[in-house]
Amino acid sequence: NSYDFSTDLEFNDLLKTLPEDSRLIFQMYYGEQFSVGEIAQLLHMKENTVKSILFRTREKLRKFLGEEGIAV
């Protein structure tokens, strides 16, 4: 049950405001269903780095969506 980001233009615009590595990791994890370990291996990063980037990205999105009055 992965969410199809490509159909949500506003969300895609929001993702484009993120740093490239954050956007890529977010899309790999939520859009393509890669595991943290797989992402870390493919991008030559530590798993904890991937987890931190995912956490910070979710927080940024949550903050923005909350400001827009969208329940998260």
Side-chain angles (χ1 to χ4, degrees):
N1 283 357
S2 64
Y3 180 77
D4 186 4
F5 298 111
S6 64
T7 61
D8 190 334
L9 296 178
E10 276 187 60
F11 193 74
N12 263 326
D13 286 344
L14 176 57
L15 287 179
K16 289 177 187 174
T17 68
L18 297 170
E20 187 176 345
D21 62 338
S22 298
R23 183 173 59 247
L24 176 61
I25 290 170
F26 187 85
Q27 289 176 320
M28 288 176 77
Y29 187 78
Y30 288 104
E32 303 297 326
Q33 303 293 300
F34 283 97
S35 71
V36 169
E38 290 169 328
I39 295 168
Q41 186 176 17
L42 288 168
L43 300 181
H44 308 288
M45 295 179 164
K46 294 181 180 180
E47 285 189 28
N48 283 338
T49 302
V50 173
K51 289 178 186 177
S52 294
I53 291 171
L54 279 171
F55 177 80
R56 287 194 306 270
T57 302
R58 283 191 299 264
E59 289 301 304
K60 286 179 188 176
L61 294 174
R62 189 174 289 124
K63 181 179 180 208
F64 178 82
L65 294 173
E67 288 174 358
E68 294 296 312
I70 300 169
V72 209

